[in-house]
Amino acid sequence: MTVGLAAPDGAGIDLDGIDLSDREFWLQPPAVRHAVFDALRRERPFAFYAEPELPWLEAGRGYYAVTRYADVDAISSRPAVFCSGSGAVSIIDMPPDINEFFGSMISMDDPRHAKIRRIVAKTFTPRMLERLVDSVQQIADDVADGARRKAEAGDGTIDVVADLAAPIPLRVVCDMMGIPDEDRAMVLQKSTIILSGGDPELVESLEDFAAAMLEAGGALSDLMNRLAAERLADPRDDLTTALVRSEVGGEQLTHQEIASFFILLLVAGNETTRNAISQGVLALSEHPEQRDRWAADPELTRTAVEEIVRWTSPIGWMRRTATQDGEVNGHRFAAGDKFLLFYGAANRDPEVFREPQVLDLARDPNPQIGFGAHGPHFCLGAHLARREIAVTFRTIFDRLPDLTVSGEPSRLRSSFVNGLKRLPARLGER
Amino acid sequence: MSRIVVDRQRCASTGGCEAVAPDVFEIADDGELVVHRPEPDEGDLPDVREAVRTCPTLALTLVDGPRPG
């Protein structure tokens, strides 16, 4: 599918020709996708689409694409009416065990969701993360120096994704969990497959996608089971130890719950921050005046991080499923209806954001919902992600001030992750 | 005098309040939110109001008057 870029605000787009379930749509440049979202938000705020076809599962009844901020927030903040337990990360209904295996508590409702969330909540609080600041800085310094060495040893170029954006969150999350160095390349490879969306470069065919997902999940699960057993016998100061020893109301997490949570953490902790960083670098190269302003003013970091998350919206959507008939903001729905909450669309809603198509690192207030809207599933890692983004960009300004994007980004063909596979850049003279 | 009320059904221990007003709010080891100063000082109020406003689960409210009873 190709969509001609009509007007910047989406005026003149033929919405009948748009299908958000068409994978090719997600390869369109961001300007085109945002123009379509502008038109949907204005003209069809609950647009209905057939489910994408997958070779091994039967498609369901279809879904509503929610693009207005107020609607995303209203649905997200009523978890009893709009549940996650039918699957939050897949449009097509998956078997429940697969849902939970890959989604962990993202695809759970209370009380189980609350139980598991409380066990890990303390680890991700701002207070606990204070202790991590030095290590995040050290990791970012190391990675930036590595990128410099690579450029100097080669032709002066690096890949922002592979050499900066991927290794920083990977090392942070692996450090937190105590993953041995020798297993980390595997962790990155498997988490990339799980969130590939079936991108043809990462998975050979859609027929192979299911097998590849299961293989990747199995490999991560095996690693976690091994580590869990090691930590039970030999406790350390890491999240893995905390998880295997944790009890809530006298109940321990099962091995399956621990393995699934690990997969969630690895995948969610890697892919999201990686794409916030890589897409953020790209955004700053497209808005050099904003980049120069932030580089010159560390005080801008608090608002700049929020704007990077708003602008990049690394997670495309989460799904909710109606548990009963009802109405939301004038839209009637029936039990079983599926809603995809398109965060990137809501994050550019002119009802909430003044000049939403302008990147403004000083935007304040900035009620962006890149970490999810109101409700119990708000991103567990939000504080960590903010820290990683802040440290990474300050480190780029300090250690790689000569970084310039030198080629076109290669985009991931996925509606779920707004991802870059590669972003070529040059270190040296501008 | 103002008093902080936590809706325990809504609270998901996101720590958003702790980020804004760490002297008043803390996520405890068991993952439950502890309010150190349920009746915050005048000086705490701006941060507490911000925490209430920005709570990701809408679990906090600030009501007038001391604890009933």
Side-chain angles (χ1 to χ4, degrees), chain A residues 159-371:
Chain A
D159 173 10
V160 171
V161 177
D163 300 321
L164 280 177
I168 292 173
L170 176 73
R171 282 182 55 180
V172 170
V173 93
C174 287
D175 278 0
M176 285 177 78
M177 292 165 55
I179 307 271
D181 286 343
E182 61 269 24
D183 294 310
R184 294 184 174 196
M186 182 277 279
V187 166
L188 180 64
Q189 191 213 355
K190 303 302 179 193
S191 74
T192 303
I193 287 173
I194 290 174
L195 280 189
S196 65
D199 185 286
E201 188 180 323
L202 296 163
V203 178
E204 279 190 15
S205 73
L206 281 179
E207 279 75 13
D208 297 333
F209 184 30
M213 286 275 287
L214 288 173
E215 194 278 328
L220 293 176
S221 189
D222 289 348
L223 168 64
M224 296 321 157
N225 280 320
R226 194 189 88 210
L227 277 185
E230 284 176 17
R231 292 300 187 276
L232 265 180
D234 180 16
R236 291 198 206 166
D237 183 21
D238 60 25
L239 179 55
T240 309
T241 304
L243 282 171
V244 296
R245 304 177 94 191
S246 64
E247 279 188 25
V248 168
E251 237 185 304
Q252 282 185 322
L253 289 180
T254 65
H255 276 282
Q256 186 51 56
E257 284 173 332
I258 291 174
S260 289
F261 177 71
F262 270 128
I263 292 174
L264 170 66
L265 198 61
L266 286 172
V267 173
N270 272 318
E271 307 290 320
T272 51
T273 315
R274 180 205 314 178
N275 289 307
I277 293 168
S278 63
Q279 299 261 29
V281 168
L282 179 60
L284 294 190
S285 88
E286 291 165 346
H287 300 84
E289 75 295 344
Q290 292 284 319
R291 183 213 169 274
D292 292 347
R293 189 176 169 195
W294 190 6
D297 181 9
E299 297 285 308
L300 200 62
T301 298
R302 181 184 64 84
T303 56
V305 169
E306 298 305 306
E307 183 69 344
I308 292 287
V309 175
R310 183 186 79 87
W311 191 257
T312 61
S313 296
I315 292 295
W317 49 264
M318 287 284 167
R319 178 185 136 193
R320 296 292 186 270
T321 308
T323 59
Q324 58 196 68
D325 298 356
E327 188 181 316
V328 58
N329 293 341
H331 172 79
R332 294 211 53 79
F333 60 86
D337 280 355
K338 299 176 181 182
F339 298 86
L340 292 203
L341 312 180
F342 282 97
Y343 300 117
N347 272 336
R348 298 197 183 199
D349 187 338
E351 291 289 319
V352 177
F353 301 97
R354 194 171 52 83
E355 297 190 278
Q357 309 296 354
V358 172
L359 179 77
D360 175 7
L361 297 182
R363 190 181 290 277
D364 193 16
N366 185 348
Q368 56 84 12
I369 49 176
F371 294 119

Side-chain angles (χ1 to χ4, degrees), chain A residues 117-118 122 127 374-375 383, chain B residues 11 14 18 22 25 27 56-57:
Chain A
R117 179 127 186 176
R118 295 238 155 79
K122 179 72 183 178
R127 214 177 292 262
H374 287 118
H383 306 299
Chain B
C11 177
T14 63
E18 185 180 307
F25 301 99
I27 306 297
T57 59

Side-chain angles (χ1 to χ4, degrees), chain A residues 73 77 110 113-114 117-119 121-122 124-128 248 365 373-380 383, chain B residues 8-16 18-19 22-23 25-32 53 55-58:
Chain A
D73 201 40
S77 57
D110 290 345
H113 166 262
R117 179 127 186 176
R118 295 238 155 79
I119 290 176
K122 179 72 183 178
F124 291 89
T125 57
R127 214 177 292 262
M128 292 294 276
V248 168
H374 287 118
H377 291 279
F378 185 83
C379 177
L380 173 72
H383 306 299
Chain B
R8 297 282 166 184
Q9 292 295 317
R10 284 181 178 270
C11 177
S13 307
T14 63
E18 185 180 307
D23 295 339
F25 301 99
E26 181 171 4
I27 306 297
D29 288 342
D30 64 359
E32 290 286 341
R53 195 181 64 76
C55 171
T57 59
L58 304 169

